[in-house]
Amino acid sequence: MASRGWLVARGAAIGLVVLLFALLAWSLVRDKGGDLAKRANRGDRPAAPDFTLDRLEGKGRLQLSSLHGKAVVLNVWASWCVPCKEEAPYLEEVWRANRARGVVVVGLDSKDFRADAQRFARRYDLTFPLVYDGPGNTLNGYGVTGFPETFVVDRGGRVVEAFAGAVNGEEERARLESAIATARGT
Amino acid sequence: VIRCCIALAVCALGLAGGASAGRPTAADLEAEFVCPVCETTLDQSNAPIAQNMKAFIRARIAAGDDESQIKNALVAEFGPGVVAKPPGGGFGLLAWLLPLVALAGGAVVVAVLIWTWSSRRPPASEPEEELEPRLERLVDDELARLDG
């Protein structure tokens, strides 16, 4: 009788350990965004996770997949992020220079107060589409670990290049322009 | 006089209690919300967004908002994950129940172990084997010889 109780307790302990391992494995399998940037920069062209988010100004929503057929420069930013302030004018330039050529710049503001982000957009005169994801639910899918990060998505919705940090230096800007050309299929 | 003093003390305590319930302090609230970037409570974070959130809380307190209004405003911006305490219902209930279940499970395991160990009887002492008559006689003879 005593050994039966002992066996039950031991079985429960083993079951708990197995359950914890299963949860760990599940979380690792589920977290697919972690290596998206690495796969993109290796040339694998992983699919860009789709999202539908409110426009920052509150007028309607934007779904990423609705931009299929266009090259997309997806920039993840926040108003409190210092490198984002340095990068914003350049992204506006990219948008103005390429919008007529089938390129859309999309700014994804995250982990931020909406009002602060709206002030940021007005201050830097951003005219490209901006979406708001306060809780940051979209970030895991892209494996975003810091701000800013930029993803260049081709006409078929696949990521051709990823940039961790601001696209500020000449080298990064040349890389971005090359990635945009690749995404446009030229 | 004594009754008046007691009444005044009760009124003062009531007012103090009412004031703390209605007007939260920034320090209280900073321990109740999580910085969405660094995942620690605001009082332990100096991240830029945490500083913005602290300023927001102070401004809302100054504007006369109560705790639930401030909580709703922060949840509207950053989602339910901004609240440090898990919700008391739905999936969040698990966070409250699991430690209790683990504690109860541990108590059961300890009880089973104690019961198992205490119910083990010590092995009965084995009966002394009797010597064969021939050997017994030999031992007796030897002992007699030694005595003699």
Side-chain angles (χ1 to χ4, degrees), chain A residues 51-109:
Chain A
F51 58 76
T52 304
L53 291 168
D54 287 345
R55 299 263 187 172
L56 181 63
E57 294 297 337
K59 293 168 192 162
R61 288 163 78 77
L62 175 75
Q63 185 171 14
L64 181 67
S65 56
S66 72
L67 299 173
H68 274 200
K70 294 184 174 183
V72 177
V73 177
L74 175 67
N75 174 248
V76 181
W77 64 280
S79 67
W80 45 263
C81 148
V82 176
C84 301
K85 294 172 188 171
E86 296 160 3
E87 186 188 47
Y90 171 65
L91 289 172
E92 180 63 24
E93 269 177 41
V94 169
W95 160 242
R96 290 184 187 192
N98 290 286
R99 61 186 300 184
R101 297 195 288 172
V103 178
V104 183
V105 177
V106 176
L108 194 165
D109 173 63

Side-chain angles (χ1 to χ4, degrees), chain A residues 30-45:
Chain A
R30 195 169 153 259
D31 184 22
K32 289 178 182 166
D35 62 347
L36 184 134
K38 210 180 282 177
R39 285 189 289 145
N41 293 343
R42 214 166 43 205
D44 291 353
R45 295 208 183 187

Side-chain angles (χ1 to χ4, degrees), chain A residues 2 6 111-112 114 132 134-135, chain B residues 36-37 49 77-78 112-113 115:
Chain A
W6 173 243
K111 305 202 173 190
D112 203 359
R114 186 189 281 261
Y132 178 68
Chain B
V37 173
I49 183 61
E77 296 275 358
F78 299 101
V112 167
L113 284 176
W115 182 68

Side-chain angles (χ1 to χ4, degrees), chain B residues 82-101:
Chain B
V82 78
V83 183
K85 277 186 201 165
F91 191 70
L93 194 60
L94 272 181
W96 294 102
L97 290 181
L98 275 181
L100 295 176
V101 170

